[in-house]
């Protein structure tokens, strides 16, 4: 099917990238070349784009910051950048909620909230994502009493593949609400959300080293030792760093909302930037040739940068966030809290075995360990269970590929045996039948997807691979899709 002249003119009027421009995600791991790359600035325009796609037989994918390291946002048809839909729509001081368009970036949201004396209760490691992208994959922070970002949504608006606008909350379109709060973009385009916040607060953080055996032997008590707890393990060593953060006193919180009242962690340009970022990237580039250097690098960087206690107090979002350095392959799964220590012991044992093999896997640091409260969002990895997220990483120094697939296979095998569920933003090997077993409401989500998108307008390779039943015929729009290009060597 072809795009009519009037429809093409409309799409070209919204074009934000020149024809032939490829989309590449932040990690540089996947790329696609959409036929149209548009940036609407109104909900009406979003509805019209979807209707054009439907009558033209084209697929549509919305994209925010492109931070998902998988092909989740890739399409060869119509890519919808949400960057121009970033307005603040409503503020309810009494209920402590803020309604925003879905394209607003989290860092801009933090500023808007601070101006109104509010803050998100829990934030992830970075704030570069759009709100819509973050809830599409149940992006999370850490804290056993705190849910993922999707659980903070009290109301949303979504436009389905027929161009129908749905307002959803726990009482209106409740099923669609629970599905759309983590929908992978498979149900439609979320245009606005209302976030439950809390009064602005400061966090007092303490970061200190601990032995891995101590962490594993006291895992439940460490997980609950502060409001927010995060652990970094340095593979090939017995070192960890435990980060704990609690809300500061109310008086300090009031003072912290002013620009003059922050106290950042002790920093050193030489240690933390020149050595910890730039020189480390050079070391990892060299380690592509001499991978047996990697365990030594983990020990070296722990001793020089992390083997000390530091503490600081600052505005909540600044304490939650940290520098994720440079592009990387990442894989992250959520396992029930009571199985997490066992999963980590197995991962450590496997990496120990690998270290004895001259050609075995050499893992980059850190392995990140975080905690999230049980959720009622259908596809949240924390659905109905308190979970521990375990994330592994392999950096791509200067955008160069490094071997990671053997590590990923072993890691995912361990996570599956501990009832793990993958983080949706990451590329993973959990497919339709596996997901049906892992998610009690997965079949309900699949049925709702078929009702919201009967012709597969929002189906791309990622959705087809993980969500559609294998025996389901390819939808009409899917016939126009081409696979996203994985920007890596197949041998890695």
């Amino acid at each position: 099917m072809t795009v009519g002249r009037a429809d093409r003119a409309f799409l070209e009027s919204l074009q934000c990238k020149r024809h032939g421009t490829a989309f590449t995600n932040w990690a540089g791991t996947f790329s696609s070349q959409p036929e149209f790359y548009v940036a609407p600035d109104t909900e009406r325009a979003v509805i019209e784009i979807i209707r054009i796609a439907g009558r033209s037989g084209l697929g549509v994918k919305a994209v925010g910051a492109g931070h998902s390291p998988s092909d989740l946002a890739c399409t060869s048809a119509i890519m919808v950048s949400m960057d121009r839909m970033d307005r603040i729509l409503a503020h309810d001081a009494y209920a402590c909620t803020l309604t925003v368009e879905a394209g607003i970036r989290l860092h801009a949201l933090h500023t808007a909230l601070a101006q109104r004396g509010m803050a998100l209760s829990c934030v992830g490691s970075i704030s570069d994502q759009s709100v819509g992208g973050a809830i599409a994959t149940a992006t999370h922070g850490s804290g056993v009493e705190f849910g993922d970002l999707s659980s903070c949504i009290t109301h949303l608006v979504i436009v389905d593949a027929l161009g129908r606008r749905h307002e959803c909350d726990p009482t209106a379109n409740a099923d669609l609400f629970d599905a759309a709060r983590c929908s992978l973009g498979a149900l439609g385009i979320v245009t606005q959300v209302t976030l439950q916040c809390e009064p602005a607060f400061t966090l007092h953080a303490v970061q200190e080293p601990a032995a891995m055996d101590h962490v594993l032997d006291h895992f439940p008590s460490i997980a609950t030792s502060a409001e927010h707890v995060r652990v970094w393990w340095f593979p090939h060593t017995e070192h960890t760093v435990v980060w704990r953060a609690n809300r500061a006193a109310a008086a300090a919180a009031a003072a912290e909302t002013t620009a003059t009242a922050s106290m950042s962690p002790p920093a050193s340009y030489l240690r933390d930037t020149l050595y910890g970022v730039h020189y480390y990237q050079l070391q990892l580039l060299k380690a592509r040739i001499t991978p047996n250097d990697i365990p030594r690098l983990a020990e070296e960087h722990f001793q020089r940068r992390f083997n000390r206690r530091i503490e600081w107090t600052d505005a909540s979002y600044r304490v939650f966030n940290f520098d994720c350095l440079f592009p990387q392959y990442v894989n992250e799964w959520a396992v029930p809290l009571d199985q997490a220590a066992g999963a980590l012991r197995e991962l450590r044992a496997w990496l120990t075995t690998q270290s004895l093999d001259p050609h075995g896997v050499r893992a980059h640091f850190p392995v990140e360990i975080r905690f999230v409260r049980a959720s009622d969002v259908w596809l949240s990895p924390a659905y109905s269970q308190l979970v521990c997220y375990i994330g592994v990483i392999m950096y791509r120094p200067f955008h160069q590929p490094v071997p990671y697939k053997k590590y990923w296979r072993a890691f995912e095998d361990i996570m599956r045996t501990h009832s793990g569920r993958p983080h949706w933003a990451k590329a993973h090997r959990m497919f339709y039948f596996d997901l049906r077993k892992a998610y009690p409401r997965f079949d309900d989500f699949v049925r709702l997807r078929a009702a919201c998108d009967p012709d597969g307008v929002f189906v791309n390779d990622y959705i087809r691979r993980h969500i559609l039943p294998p025996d389901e015929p390819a939808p009409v729009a899917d016939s126009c899709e081409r696979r996203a290009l994985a920007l890596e060597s197949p041998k890695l």
Side-chain angles (χ1 to χ4, degrees):
M1 300 176 73
T2 60
V3 181
R5 181 178 299 176
D7 289 343
R8 178 175 291 274
F10 178 79
L11 292 175
E12 290 179 346
S13 72
L14 299 175
Q15 198 86 4
C16 64
K17 302 283 187 180
R18 64 179 176 83
H19 285 291
T21 297
F23 161 80
T24 302
N25 63 4
W26 176 82
T29 50
F30 286 91
S31 178
S32 65
Q33 189 164 305
E35 182 176 352
F36 298 96
Y37 201 148
V38 298
D41 59 0
T42 66
E43 189 174 79
R44 184 182 295 273
V46 171
I47 292 171
E48 184 59 24
I49 291 166
I50 292 172
R51 287 175 174 167
I52 289 172
R55 58 180 172 255
S56 304
L58 294 176
V60 173
K61 293 306 291 184
V63 63
H67 246 276
S68 293
S70 67
D71 58 339
L72 178 59
C74 290
T75 180
S76 61
I78 303 176
M79 179 165 283
V80 180
S81 167
M82 299 297 287
D83 282 350
R84 296 174 66 189
M85 295 191 64
D86 61 352
R87 295 179 300 159
I88 307 298
L89 300 177
H91 167 221
D92 187 331
Y94 181 78
C96 210
T97 61
L98 192 71
T99 302
V100 299
E101 289 184 316
I104 191 170
R105 299 293 177 92
L106 288 177
H107 57 74
L109 177 64
H110 297 322
T111 300
L113 287 170
Q115 291 170 348
R116 293 161 176 81
M118 301 192 299
L120 295 174
S121 296
C122 191
V123 177
S125 301
I126 59 173
S127 290
D128 298 317
Q129 313 99 311
S130 68
V131 168
I135 68 168
T137 56
T139 293
H140 63 93
S142 190
V144 294
E145 296 296 332
F146 298 87
D148 49 41
L149 189 61
S150 299
S151 68
C152 299
I153 305 302
T154 62
H155 176 272
L156 62 81
V157 174
I158 186 170
V159 180
D160 70 15
L162 301 178
R164 300 174 299 192
R165 181 182 188 274
H166 303 274
E167 295 207 29
C168 310
D169 61 36
T171 59
N173 293 318
D175 280 355
L176 184 55
F177 178 67
D178 287 339
R181 284 186 289 162
C182 176
S183 71
L184 318 177
L187 305 179
I189 295 180
V190 174
T191 58
Q192 60 178 263
V193 300
T194 300
L195 294 143
Q196 182 62 61
C197 306
E198 65 174 279
F201 61 96
T202 57
L203 284 174
H204 177 73
V206 177
Q207 180 176 299
E208 55 192 345
M212 183 62 166
D213 279 335
H214 174 79
V215 169
L216 295 176
D217 291 344
H218 301 87
F219 203 76
S221 61
I222 287 176
T224 57
S225 61
E227 290 179 299
H228 305 278
V229 177
R230 178 170 62 216
V231 179
W232 282 0
W233 169 44
F234 291 68
H236 310 295
T237 81
E238 291 303 304
H239 305 309
T240 75
V241 171
V242 181
W243 172 95
R244 297 178 175 90
N246 289 298
R247 280 154 179 73
E256 192 61 22
T257 59
T258 69
T260 59
S262 74
M263 185 184 72
S264 298
S268 161
Y269 177 79
L270 180 63
R271 180 191 62 228
D272 300 322
T273 303
L274 193 60
Y275 173 74
V277 178
H278 302 304
Y279 185 61
Y280 182 46
Q281 190 167 197
L282 284 170
Q283 288 178 309
L284 290 181
L285 184 67
K286 177 179 178 292
R288 295 175 70 242
I289 302 170
T290 56
N292 288 326
D293 288 347
I294 290 173
R296 177 184 59 78
L297 295 180
E299 179 70 31
E300 173 188 315
H301 280 261
F302 174 80
Q303 296 297 344
R304 293 186 178 182
R305 297 170 54 200
F306 298 100
N307 191 19
R308 60 197 177 101
R309 174 189 168 97
I310 61 172
E311 57 182 297
W312 69 100
T313 302
D314 207 337
S316 57
Y317 63 91
R318 287 197 286 265
V319 176
F320 284 131
N321 284 173
F322 67 89
D323 188 351
C324 286
L325 304 186
F326 33 88
Q328 56 212 227
Y329 304 110
V330 289
N331 202 341
E332 186 177 32
W333 286 53
V335 299
L337 180 61
D338 60 2
Q339 297 195 46
L344 287 164
R345 290 183 194 278
E346 286 187 36
L347 181 60
R348 180 173 64 169
W350 183 80
L351 285 172
T352 298
T353 300
Q354 290 296 301
S355 68
L356 302 176
D357 179 353
H359 303 291
V361 167
R362 302 295 185 263
H364 294 172
F365 71 84
V367 172
E368 188 174 30
I369 301 160
R370 294 182 284 176
F371 310 94
V372 175
R373 185 188 67 198
S375 170
D376 61 356
V377 177
W378 287 1
L379 290 193
S380 168
Y383 181 79
S384 291
Q385 59 184 12
L386 171 62
V387 298
C388 171
Y389 275 90
I390 302 173
V392 295
I393 190 168
M394 291 296 289
Y395 285 107
R396 303 178 64 239
F398 300 99
H399 297 272
Q400 296 302 305
V402 297
Y404 72 95
K405 291 185 177 180
K406 181 179 179 181
Y407 185 15
W408 266 215
R409 284 194 296 271
F411 172 72
E412 292 192 355
D413 288 347
I414 292 169
M415 296 301 109
R416 267 192 296 271
T417 62
H418 288 274
S419 304
R421 296 167 177 166
H423 191 309
W424 291 107
K426 278 68 172 177
H428 59 87
R429 295 182 304 126
M430 194 99 162
F431 305 110
Y432 176 79
F433 293 110
D434 307 310
L435 293 165
R436 287 188 70 197
K437 295 177 182 177
Y439 287 91
R441 302 303 299 267
F442 187 78
D443 286 344
D444 296 324
F445 183 90
V446 170
R447 283 191 290 269
L448 193 55
R449 189 216 66 80
C452 289
D453 186 14
D455 294 325
V457 170
F458 300 116
V459 172
N460 65 353
D461 194 50
Y462 182 101
I463 299 300
R464 180 173 56 247
R465 187 169 66 242
H466 297 295
I467 304 300
L468 266 59
D471 58 352
E472 182 172 308
V476 174
D478 186 55
S479 64
C480 297
E481 276 293 331
R482 295 186 297 274
R483 284 183 177 269
L485 174 65
L487 303 177
E488 60 190 38
S489 166
K491 296 181 180 180
L492 296 177

